[in-house]
PDB file of all heavy atoms in Angstrom:
ATOM      1  N   ALA X  18     -29.629  -8.353 -28.788  1.00 75.00           N
ATOM      2  CA  ALA X  18     -28.957  -9.648 -28.679  1.00 75.00           C
ATOM      3  C   ALA X  18     -28.633  -9.993 -27.232  1.00 75.00           C
ATOM      4  O   ALA X  18     -28.518 -11.170 -26.873  1.00 75.00           O
ATOM      5  CB  ALA X  18     -27.668  -9.633 -29.505  1.00 75.00           C
ATOM      6  N   ALA X  19     -28.484  -8.955 -26.375  1.00 75.00           N
ATOM      7  CA  ALA X  19     -28.131  -9.203 -24.980  1.00 75.00           C
ATOM      8  C   ALA X  19     -29.356  -9.367 -24.098  1.00 75.00           C
ATOM      9  O   ALA X  19     -29.334 -10.132 -23.119  1.00 75.00           O
ATOM     10  CB  ALA X  19     -27.272  -8.058 -24.450  1.00 75.00           C
ATOM     11  N   ALA X  20     -30.434  -8.644 -24.412  1.00 76.00           N
ATOM     12  CA  ALA X  20     -31.641  -8.710 -23.587  1.00 76.00           C
ATOM     13  C   ALA X  20     -32.314 -10.059 -23.755  1.00 76.00           C
ATOM     14  O   ALA X  20     -32.536 -10.513 -24.869  1.00 76.00           O
ATOM     15  CB  ALA X  20     -32.594  -7.583 -23.981  1.00 76.00           C
ATOM     16  N   LYS X  21     -32.667 -10.676 -22.632  1.00 64.00           N
ATOM     17  CA  LYS X  21     -33.291 -11.993 -22.690  1.00 64.00           C
ATOM     18  C   LYS X  21     -34.643 -11.943 -21.985  1.00 64.00           C
ATOM     19  O   LYS X  21     -35.640 -11.523 -22.566  1.00 64.00           O
ATOM     20  CB  LYS X  21     -32.361 -13.037 -22.088  1.00 64.00           C
ATOM     21  CG  LYS X  21     -31.059 -13.179 -22.900  1.00 64.00           C
ATOM     22  CD  LYS X  21     -30.161 -14.275 -22.396  1.00 64.00           C
ATOM     23  CE  LYS X  21     -28.917 -14.391 -23.255  1.00 64.00           C
ATOM     24  NZ  LYS X  21     -28.029 -15.481 -22.819  1.00 64.00           N
ATOM     25  N   ALA X  22     -34.694 -12.321 -20.727  1.00 64.00           N
ATOM     26  CA  ALA X  22     -35.990 -12.396 -20.045  1.00 64.00           C
ATOM     27  C   ALA X  22     -36.598 -11.017 -19.830  1.00 64.00           C
ATOM     28  O   ALA X  22     -37.783 -10.809 -20.078  1.00 64.00           O
ATOM     29  CB  ALA X  22     -35.833 -13.127 -18.711  1.00 64.00           C
ATOM     30  N   ASN X  23     -35.790 -10.079 -19.375  1.00 74.00           N
ATOM     31  CA  ASN X  23     -36.297  -8.747 -19.043  1.00 74.00           C
ATOM     32  C   ASN X  23     -35.542  -7.682 -19.817  1.00 74.00           C
ATOM     33  O   ASN X  23     -34.322  -7.793 -20.017  1.00 74.00           O
ATOM     34  CB  ASN X  23     -36.150  -8.483 -17.541  1.00 74.00           C
ATOM     35  CG  ASN X  23     -36.941  -9.469 -16.704  1.00 74.00           C
ATOM     36  OD1 ASN X  23     -38.106  -9.719 -16.978  1.00 74.00           O
ATOM     37  ND2 ASN X  23     -36.296 -10.037 -15.693  1.00 74.00           N
ATOM     38  N   PRO X  24     -36.219  -6.634 -20.254  1.00 83.00           N
ATOM     39  CA  PRO X  24     -35.519  -5.558 -20.951  1.00 83.00           C
ATOM     40  C   PRO X  24     -34.573  -4.829 -20.006  1.00 83.00           C
ATOM     41  O   PRO X  24     -34.878  -4.656 -18.832  1.00 83.00           O
ATOM     42  CB  PRO X  24     -36.657  -4.644 -21.420  1.00 83.00           C
ATOM     43  CG  PRO X  24     -37.783  -4.922 -20.480  1.00 83.00           C
ATOM     44  CD  PRO X  24     -37.667  -6.371 -20.129  1.00 83.00           C
ATOM     45  N   PRO X  25     -33.426  -4.404 -20.495  1.00 89.00           N
ATOM     46  CA  PRO X  25     -32.464  -3.698 -19.643  1.00 89.00           C
ATOM     47  C   PRO X  25     -32.893  -2.262 -19.394  1.00 89.00           C
ATOM     48  O   PRO X  25     -33.727  -1.702 -20.106  1.00 89.00           O
ATOM     49  CB  PRO X  25     -31.176  -3.751 -20.470  1.00 89.00           C
ATOM     50  CG  PRO X  25     -31.660  -3.803 -21.879  1.00 89.00           C
ATOM     51  CD  PRO X  25     -32.927  -4.608 -21.860  1.00 89.00           C
ATOM     52  N   LEU X  26     -32.298  -1.670 -18.374  1.00 92.00           N
ATOM     53  CA  LEU X  26     -32.511  -0.272 -18.040  1.00 92.00           C
ATOM     54  C   LEU X  26     -31.254   0.494 -18.423  1.00 92.00           C
ATOM     55  O   LEU X  26     -30.151   0.138 -17.991  1.00 92.00           O
ATOM     56  CB  LEU X  26     -32.789  -0.118 -16.545  1.00 92.00           C
ATOM     57  CG  LEU X  26     -33.933  -0.972 -15.979  1.00 92.00           C
ATOM     58  CD1 LEU X  26     -33.997  -0.822 -14.463  1.00 92.00           C
ATOM     59  CD2 LEU X  26     -35.257  -0.585 -16.622  1.00 92.00           C
ATOM     60  N   VAL X  27     -31.413   1.533 -19.220  1.00 94.00           N
ATOM     61  CA  VAL X  27     -30.280   2.314 -19.696  1.00 94.00           C
ATOM     62  C   VAL X  27     -30.491   3.772 -19.311  1.00 94.00           C
ATOM     63  O   VAL X  27     -31.557   4.335 -19.559  1.00 94.00           O
ATOM     64  CB  VAL X  27     -30.109   2.198 -21.223  1.00 94.00           C
ATOM     65  CG1 VAL X  27     -28.911   3.018 -21.690  1.00 94.00           C
ATOM     66  CG2 VAL X  27     -29.948   0.739 -21.643  1.00 94.00           C
ATOM     67  N   SER X  28     -29.494   4.366 -18.700  1.00 95.00           N
ATOM     68  CA  SER X  28     -29.603   5.775 -18.299  1.00 95.00           C
ATOM     69  C   SER X  28     -28.239   6.435 -18.389  1.00 95.00           C
ATOM     70  O   SER X  28     -27.200   5.767 -18.328  1.00 95.00           O
ATOM     71  CB  SER X  28     -30.166   5.901 -16.878  1.00 95.00           C
ATOM     72  OG  SER X  28     -29.374   5.174 -15.955  1.00 95.00           O
ATOM     73  N   GLY X  29     -28.246   7.762 -18.548  1.00 96.00           N
ATOM     74  CA  GLY X  29     -27.003   8.511 -18.650  1.00 96.00           C
ATOM     75  C   GLY X  29     -26.974   9.656 -17.661  1.00 96.00           C
ATOM     76  O   GLY X  29     -27.824   9.766 -16.778  1.00 96.00           O
ATOM     77  N   GLY X  30     -25.948  10.504 -17.798  1.00 96.00           N
ATOM     78  CA  GLY X  30     -25.829  11.661 -16.916  1.00 96.00           C
ATOM     79  C   GLY X  30     -25.091  11.375 -15.627  1.00 96.00           C
ATOM     80  O   GLY X  30     -25.401  11.970 -14.590  1.00 96.00           O
ATOM     81  N   TYR X  31     -24.100  10.477 -15.676  1.00 97.00           N
ATOM     82  CA  TYR X  31     -23.371  10.106 -14.467  1.00 97.00           C
ATOM     83  C   TYR X  31     -21.897  10.489 -14.571  1.00 97.00           C
ATOM     84  O   TYR X  31     -21.359  10.696 -15.658  1.00 97.00           O
ATOM     85  CB  TYR X  31     -23.461   8.600 -14.216  1.00 97.00           C
ATOM     86  CG  TYR X  31     -24.866   8.085 -14.058  1.00 97.00           C
ATOM     87  CD1 TYR X  31     -25.477   7.382 -15.095  1.00 97.00           C
ATOM     88  CD2 TYR X  31     -25.583   8.302 -12.887  1.00 97.00           C
ATOM     89  CE1 TYR X  31     -26.776   6.905 -14.959  1.00 97.00           C
ATOM     90  CE2 TYR X  31     -26.875   7.827 -12.737  1.00 97.00           C
ATOM     91  CZ  TYR X  31     -27.466   7.124 -13.780  1.00 97.00           C
ATOM     92  OH  TYR X  31     -28.740   6.664 -13.644  1.00 97.00           O
ATOM     93  N   SER X  32     -21.247  10.547 -13.426  1.00 97.00           N
ATOM     94  CA  SER X  32     -19.797  10.684 -13.331  1.00 97.00           C
ATOM     95  C   SER X  32     -19.271   9.580 -12.429  1.00 97.00           C
ATOM     96  O   SER X  32     -19.949   9.148 -11.497  1.00 97.00           O
ATOM     97  CB  SER X  32     -19.391  12.050 -12.757  1.00 97.00           C
ATOM     98  OG  SER X  32     -19.663  13.096 -13.660  1.00 97.00           O
ATOM     99  N   LYS X  33     -18.062   9.137 -12.719  1.00 97.00           N
ATOM    100  CA  LYS X  33     -17.403   8.143 -11.867  1.00 97.00           C
ATOM    101  C   LYS X  33     -16.312   8.829 -11.065  1.00 97.00           C
ATOM    102  O   LYS X  33     -15.449   9.518 -11.621  1.00 97.00           O
ATOM    103  CB  LYS X  33     -16.792   7.015 -12.699  1.00 97.00           C
ATOM    104  CG  LYS X  33     -16.148   5.930 -11.838  1.00 97.00           C
ATOM    105  CD  LYS X  33     -15.546   4.813 -12.673  1.00 97.00           C
ATOM    106  CE  LYS X  33     -14.188   5.169 -13.193  1.00 97.00           C
ATOM    107  NZ  LYS X  33     -13.464   4.009 -13.776  1.00 97.00           N
ATOM    108  N   ILE X  34     -16.356   8.657  -9.755  1.00 96.00           N
ATOM    109  CA  ILE X  34     -15.313   9.150  -8.862  1.00 96.00           C
ATOM    110  C   ILE X  34     -14.470   7.949  -8.432  1.00 96.00           C
ATOM    111  O   ILE X  34     -15.002   6.934  -8.001  1.00 96.00           O
ATOM    112  CB  ILE X  34     -15.907   9.822  -7.607  1.00 96.00           C
ATOM    113  CG1 ILE X  34     -16.889  10.931  -7.997  1.00 96.00           C
ATOM    114  CG2 ILE X  34     -14.789  10.354  -6.712  1.00 96.00           C
ATOM    115  CD1 ILE X  34     -16.270  12.119  -8.654  1.00 96.00           C
ATOM    116  N   ASN X  35     -13.159   8.084  -8.561  1.00 96.00           N
ATOM    117  CA  ASN X  35     -12.271   6.992  -8.167  1.00 96.00           C
ATOM    118  C   ASN X  35     -11.321   7.454  -7.070  1.00 96.00           C
ATOM    119  O   ASN X  35     -10.658   8.484  -7.198  1.00 96.00           O
ATOM    120  CB  ASN X  35     -11.470   6.491  -9.366  1.00 96.00           C
ATOM    121  CG  ASN X  35     -10.563   5.326  -9.020  1.00 96.00           C
ATOM    122  OD1 ASN X  35      -9.387   5.500  -8.756  1.00 96.00           O
ATOM    123  ND2 ASN X  35     -11.121   4.130  -9.018  1.00 96.00           N
ATOM    124  N   LEU X  36     -11.284   6.701  -5.989  1.00 95.00           N
ATOM    125  CA  LEU X  36     -10.334   6.919  -4.894  1.00 95.00           C
ATOM    126  C   LEU X  36      -9.261   5.849  -5.002  1.00 95.00           C
ATOM    127  O   LEU X  36      -9.570   4.655  -4.987  1.00 95.00           O
ATOM    128  CB  LEU X  36     -11.033   6.816  -3.537  1.00 95.00           C
ATOM    129  CG  LEU X  36     -12.279   7.667  -3.320  1.00 95.00           C
ATOM    130  CD1 LEU X  36     -12.886   7.376  -1.964  1.00 95.00           C
ATOM    131  CD2 LEU X  36     -11.962   9.133  -3.459  1.00 95.00           C
ATOM    132  N   PHE X  37      -8.021   6.269  -5.081  1.00 94.00           N
ATOM    133  CA  PHE X  37      -6.919   5.312  -5.252  1.00 94.00           C
ATOM    134  C   PHE X  37      -5.871   5.518  -4.172  1.00 94.00           C
ATOM    135  O   PHE X  37      -5.601   6.647  -3.763  1.00 94.00           O
ATOM    136  CB  PHE X  37      -6.261   5.481  -6.622  1.00 94.00           C
ATOM    137  CG  PHE X  37      -5.023   4.641  -6.796  1.00 94.00           C
ATOM    138  CD1 PHE X  37      -5.113   3.319  -7.179  1.00 94.00           C
ATOM    139  CD2 PHE X  37      -3.763   5.181  -6.537  1.00 94.00           C
ATOM    140  CE1 PHE X  37      -3.969   2.538  -7.327  1.00 94.00           C
ATOM    141  CE2 PHE X  37      -2.610   4.417  -6.671  1.00 94.00           C
ATOM    142  CZ  PHE X  37      -2.726   3.091  -7.070  1.00 94.00           C
ATOM    143  N   GLY X  38      -5.284   4.416  -3.738  1.00 90.00           N
ATOM    144  CA  GLY X  38      -4.175   4.504  -2.797  1.00 90.00           C
ATOM    145  C   GLY X  38      -3.550   3.141  -2.582  1.00 90.00           C
ATOM    146  O   GLY X  38      -4.262   2.165  -2.338  1.00 90.00           O
ATOM    147  N   GLU X  39      -2.232   3.071  -2.688  1.00 90.00           N
ATOM    148  CA  GLU X  39      -1.557   1.790  -2.484  1.00 90.00           C
ATOM    149  C   GLU X  39      -1.678   1.310  -1.045  1.00 90.00           C
ATOM    150  O   GLU X  39      -1.588   0.109  -0.780  1.00 90.00           O
ATOM    151  CB  GLU X  39      -0.086   1.911  -2.889  1.00 90.00           C
ATOM    152  CG  GLU X  39       0.103   2.142  -4.376  1.00 90.00           C
ATOM    153  CD  GLU X  39       1.553   2.183  -4.785  1.00 90.00           C
ATOM    154  OE1 GLU X  39       2.424   2.078  -3.884  1.00 90.00           O
ATOM    155  OE2 GLU X  39       1.829   2.322  -5.989  1.00 90.00           O
ATOM    156  N   GLU X  40      -1.886   2.238  -0.112  1.00 88.00           N
ATOM    157  CA  GLU X  40      -2.027   1.856   1.297  1.00 88.00           C
ATOM    158  C   GLU X  40      -3.452   1.426   1.634  1.00 88.00           C
ATOM    159  O   GLU X  40      -3.719   0.963   2.747  1.00 88.00           O
ATOM    160  CB  GLU X  40      -1.617   3.015   2.204  1.00 88.00           C
ATOM    161  CG  GLU X  40      -0.143   3.365   2.124  1.00 88.00           C
ATOM    162  CD  GLU X  40       0.228   4.479   3.078  1.00 88.00           C
ATOM    163  OE1 GLU X  40      -0.672   4.965   3.772  1.00 88.00           O
ATOM    164  OE2 GLU X  40       1.418   4.843   3.122  1.00 88.00           O
ATOM    165  N   MET X  41      -4.354   1.543   0.671  1.00 88.00           N
ATOM    166  CA  MET X  41      -5.743   1.209   0.949  1.00 88.00           C
ATOM    167  C   MET X  41      -5.913  -0.257   1.332  1.00 88.00           C
ATOM    168  O   MET X  41      -6.817  -0.624   2.090  1.00 88.00           O
ATOM    169  CB  MET X  41      -6.620   1.544  -0.263  1.00 88.00           C
ATOM    170  CG  MET X  41      -8.092   1.662   0.055  1.00 88.00           C
ATOM    171  SD  MET X  41      -9.097   2.126  -1.382  1.00 88.00           S
ATOM    172  CE  MET X  41      -8.485   3.784  -1.701  1.00 88.00           C
TER     173      MET X  41
END
């Protein structure tokens, strides 16, 4: 339902690293 003109690319095996700081 979401794919229209081009098929999407789907991949796994990732991690998200988040850097947080109020002074940023």
